[in-house]
């Protein structure tokens, strides 16, 4: 194949991956706007409607590792293409649901489709792009996520207001159909497949149980903020099933998840750094709206504009940092990203406490810079820490860590707010004489987010030093 055709093929594959990522992010963000309309349409409670979101996250998180394992036999390109098809068809089924039960069922299928996409998306980029272009490609994917997050509320509000909640899902159908057909015809990856699938089915069952119980426990804590009986039951199931899973995976010949990857210091440290990143990030995205509405009495439109600052900066910053990483990968991008985010958290905490809106917007701007510095380099380092044949494992674990960390951030934010505000009702506080208590509580919680990022600085630097030591050892050996 000529160089120009190979170049075109790489960027077609990147475009297909970006399309799948964009559809999933846009769908998830825009759906939050549609939940009230779904609740009214089906005449159900808010708690019932919340399962439309919960079941999707459960399915996606539980099946990421399993989809990555199956891809060892089917190939990553086929897995991603199949995921596009499943996501598209399930979107159509969601749009035509005549009951909440049907919608929840089809959202479960959609979550499985999303797991098929995200389990191999990063691995595909690392397969088709060389070392001098991977950072740039990862930066484009980061920009895609930012654009989806930025446009989600806008597009979701317009579609729900004009065409109804069904349009949130229907918009995926033509885009997904075209992307699937293009992927079937064009997307090819040079990869070595195993001769047959050796699935550890008992291990898969234990993994699903452990991840489902963990997600349900985090969801329960996110709602109650106290260790309820249900949360304790979920915790017990999670601990027991995870222990059984680890014991089994160490003994079987063909495990679902190769536990030995966590012995790779660089891989484990970049994963821990990612946990700090997404936990702290989600704390701000959850608590920020309560501050702007409850303390400053801002409306949804004003809050939305403020929150667009972060993804806007990330949209432009990620590709730039990606190119910098390709040229000089040895620089401490992830640690610097966390350090900038520590500054942004402290700046926002100060602005929240002093009711300084402009300063909080500046805080979001610096948080966007920190996010740009962190994501593409850290994701790339995590993928490069394992051998090429384990790229599917690294990709699926990366997506799993991201999902779990975001849920942990929501739970931690809720627990902190409940602990600091006690039994005070938010509706009674918002806009009233006790609004200062709300501002103080949010500020302290944001400082905790900054502390998580500070831990992230240390972890990232340890990971970067491990990378430097590996490079030095390789030079010495040669």
């Amino acid at each position: 194949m000529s160089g120009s055709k190979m170049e075109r093929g790489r960027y077609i594959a990147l475009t297909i991956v970006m399309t799948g990522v964009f559809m999933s992010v846009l769908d998830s963000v825009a759906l939050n706007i549609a939940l009230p309309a779904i609740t009214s349409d089906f005449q159900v409670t808010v708690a019932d409607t919340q399962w439309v979101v919960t079941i999707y996250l459960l399915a996606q998180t539980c099946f990421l590792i399993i989809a990555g394992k199956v891809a060892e036999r089917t190939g990553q390109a086929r897995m991603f293409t199949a995921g596009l098809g499943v996501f598209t068809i399930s979107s159509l089924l969601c749009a035509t649901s005549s009951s909440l039960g049907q919608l929840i069922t089809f959202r479960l299928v959609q979550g499985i489709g999303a797991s098929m996409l995200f389990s191999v998306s990063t691995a595909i980029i690392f397969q088709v792009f060389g070392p001098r272009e991977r950072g740039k490609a990862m930066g484009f994917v980061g920009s895609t996520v930012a654009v989806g997050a930025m446009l989600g509320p806008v597009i979701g509000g317009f579609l729900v207001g004009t065409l109804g909640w069904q349009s949130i899902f229907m918009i995926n159908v033509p885009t997904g159909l075209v992307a699937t057909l293009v992927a079937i015809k064009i997307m090819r990856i040079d990869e070595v497949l195993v001769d047959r699938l050796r699935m550890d089915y008992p291990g898969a069952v234990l993994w699903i149980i452990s991840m489902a119980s963990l997600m349900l426990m985090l969801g329960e804590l996110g709602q109650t903020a106290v260790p309820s009986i249900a949360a304790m039951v979920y915790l017990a199931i999670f601990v027991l099933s995870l222990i059984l899973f680890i014991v089994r995976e160490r003994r079987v010949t063909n495990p679902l998840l190769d536990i030995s990857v966590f012995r790779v210091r660089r891989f484990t440290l970049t994963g821990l750094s990612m946990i700090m990143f997404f936990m702290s990030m989600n704390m701000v995205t959850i608590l920020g709206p309560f501050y702007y509405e409850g303390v400053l009495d801002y409306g949804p439109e004003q809050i939305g504009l403020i929150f667009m600052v972060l993804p806007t900066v990330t949209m432009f910053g990620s590709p730039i940092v990606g190119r910098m990483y390709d040229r000089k990968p040895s620089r401490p991008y992830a640690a610097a990203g966390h350090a900038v985010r520590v500054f942004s958290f402290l700046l926002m905490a100060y602005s929240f406490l002093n009711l300084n809106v402009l300063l909080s917007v500046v805080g979001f701007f610096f948080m966007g810079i920190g996010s740009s510095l962190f994501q593409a380099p850290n994701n790339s380092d995590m993928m490069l820490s394992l051998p090429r044949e384990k790229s599917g494992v690294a990709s699926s674990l990366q997506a799993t860590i991201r999902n779990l960390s975001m849920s942990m951030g929501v739970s931690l934010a809720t627990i902190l707010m409940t602990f600091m505000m006690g039994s005070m009702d938010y509706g009674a506080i918002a806009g009233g004489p006790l609004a200062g208590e709300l501002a103080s509580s949010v500020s302290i919680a944001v400082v905790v987010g900054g502390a998580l990022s500070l831990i992230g600085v240390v972890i990232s630097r340890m990971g970067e030093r491990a990378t430097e030591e590996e490079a030095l050892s390789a030079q010495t050996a040669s």
Side-chain angles (χ1 to χ4, degrees):
M1 186 182 290
S2 66
S4 61
K5 286 185 177 180
M6 290 180 64
E7 180 82 4
R8 187 166 61 249
R10 284 199 296 270
Y11 282 96
I12 289 175
L14 176 61
T15 302
I16 294 170
V17 169
M18 289 168 61
T19 301
V21 170
F22 180 78
M23 285 169 55
S24 178
V25 173
L26 183 70
D27 185 88
S28 298
V29 176
L31 182 61
N32 293 327
I33 307 295
L35 289 179
I38 294 172
T39 303
S40 301
D41 195 15
F42 290 129
Q43 297 182 344
V44 293
T45 65
V46 174
D48 292 333
T49 309
Q50 194 61 38
W51 275 101
V52 175
V53 175
T54 302
I55 199 69
Y56 176 87
L57 292 173
L58 276 174
Q60 184 181 359
T61 306
C62 290
F63 285 93
L64 281 164
I65 299 295
I66 296 172
K69 181 68 175 179
V70 175
E72 294 178 2
R73 178 69 187 96
T74 63
Q76 293 165 357
R78 287 182 179 176
M79 175 59 69
F80 191 89
T81 303
L84 273 175
V86 171
F87 191 89
T88 302
I89 294 171
S90 58
S91 294
L92 177 62
L93 293 173
C94 286
T96 56
S97 297
S98 58
S99 68
L100 183 64
Q102 284 186 5
L103 180 57
I104 292 172
T105 301
F106 296 140
R107 279 285 286 173
L108 185 148
V109 178
Q110 194 181 41
I112 294 174
S115 72
M116 296 165 72
L117 294 174
F118 284 103
S119 64
V120 295
S121 58
T122 306
I124 288 174
I125 291 173
F126 270 71
Q127 291 280 5
V128 300
F129 284 94
R132 296 183 64 84
E133 294 182 301
R134 286 170 181 161
K136 179 177 68 175
M138 292 296 293
F140 281 129
V141 174
S143 290
T144 303
V145 174
V147 172
M150 183 173 63
L151 296 181
V154 179
I155 294 176
F158 173 77
L159 290 175
V160 173
T162 56
L163 300 174
W165 63 264
Q166 294 87 346
S167 59
I168 295 289
F169 300 106
M170 192 61 73
I171 195 175
N172 293 327
V173 177
T175 307
L177 181 61
V178 172
T180 303
L181 293 175
V182 173
I184 291 172
K185 186 173 179 62
I186 296 177
M187 192 157 75
R188 301 286 186 273
I189 298 177
D190 184 18
E191 51 186 325
V192 179
L193 306 180
V194 297
D195 56 349
R196 69 185 182 91
L197 178 63
R198 295 175 175 86
M199 176 63 76
D200 176 20
Y201 292 103
V205 171
L206 288 171
W207 175 259
I208 291 173
I209 293 173
S210 65
M211 289 299 100
S213 56
L214 176 58
M215 291 292 288
L216 289 170
M217 182 195 73
L218 292 173
E220 182 71 19
L221 289 175
Q223 290 183 0
T224 63
V226 293
S228 62
I229 295 176
M232 292 298 98
V233 171
Y234 291 140
L235 176 61
I237 295 173
F238 164 67
V239 172
L240 178 60
S241 57
L242 184 63
I243 291 173
L244 292 174
F245 174 78
I246 294 172
V247 170
R248 177 172 177 82
E249 297 306 284
R250 284 179 171 174
R251 292 179 177 177
V252 297
T253 306
N254 297 291
L256 172 70
L257 176 61
D258 184 2
I259 303 295
S260 66
V261 299
F262 294 106
R263 296 175 189 160
V264 180
R265 185 164 171 245
R266 182 181 172 192
F267 178 81
T268 302
L269 288 171
T270 51
L272 289 172
S273 182
M274 181 181 286
I275 291 175
M276 297 300 108
F277 176 86
F278 282 105
M279 276 186 68
S280 57
M281 176 71 76
N282 243 32
M283 289 179 67
V284 171
T285 57
I286 289 296
L287 296 177
F290 287 97
Y291 169 81
Y292 288 112
E293 180 187 66
V295 178
L296 302 180
D297 199 27
Y298 279 14
E301 295 83 3
Q302 294 168 296
I303 297 173
L305 285 173
I306 292 173
F307 271 78
M308 282 179 67
V309 172
L310 194 157
T312 301
V313 175
T314 307
M315 178 178 67
F316 292 104
S318 289
I320 295 173
V321 174
R323 290 188 181 94
M324 292 166 57
Y325 178 85
D326 288 333
R327 289 196 296 268
K328 297 182 178 180
S330 60
R331 289 183 174 178
Y333 298 98
H338 268 305
V340 173
R341 293 176 78 250
V342 171
F343 171 73
S344 70
F345 275 110
L346 296 178
L347 192 63
M348 280 193 284
Y350 178 82
S351 68
F352 288 166
L353 200 59
N354 292 275
L355 311 184
N356 191 324
V357 178
L358 181 59
L359 204 58
S360 71
V361 172
V362 174
F364 275 113
F365 176 83
F366 278 103
M367 183 169 286
I369 293 176
S371 298
S372 300
L373 284 168
F374 175 84
Q375 291 197 68
N378 191 80
N379 290 345
S380 298
D381 285 344
M382 192 172 185
M383 293 295 298
L384 291 170
S385 63
L386 297 181
R388 185 184 178 96
E389 62 270 17
K390 293 187 182 294
S391 62
V393 175
S395 182
S396 56
L397 272 173
Q398 193 176 94
T400 302
I401 290 170
R402 180 174 60 246
N403 279 16
L404 291 175
S405 304
M406 292 170 71
S407 297
M408 289 164 66
V410 173
S411 298
L412 179 58
T414 307
I415 291 170
L416 285 172
M417 290 296 292
T418 302
F419 176 77
M420 288 182 289
M421 297 180 65
S423 59
M424 290 188 289
D425 179 55
Y426 169 76
I429 295 173
L434 293 177
E437 294 291 332
L438 178 60
S440 177
S441 298
V442 173
S443 297
I444 294 172
V446 170
V447 169
V448 173
L452 291 175
S453 274
L454 185 59
I455 296 172
V457 173
V458 177
I459 295 173
S460 290
R461 195 65 199 115
M462 290 171 63
E464 288 157 355
R465 284 178 179 170
T467 303
E468 293 165 3
E469 290 170 4
E470 287 179 10
L472 185 61
S473 299
Q475 289 177 359
T476 305
S478 61

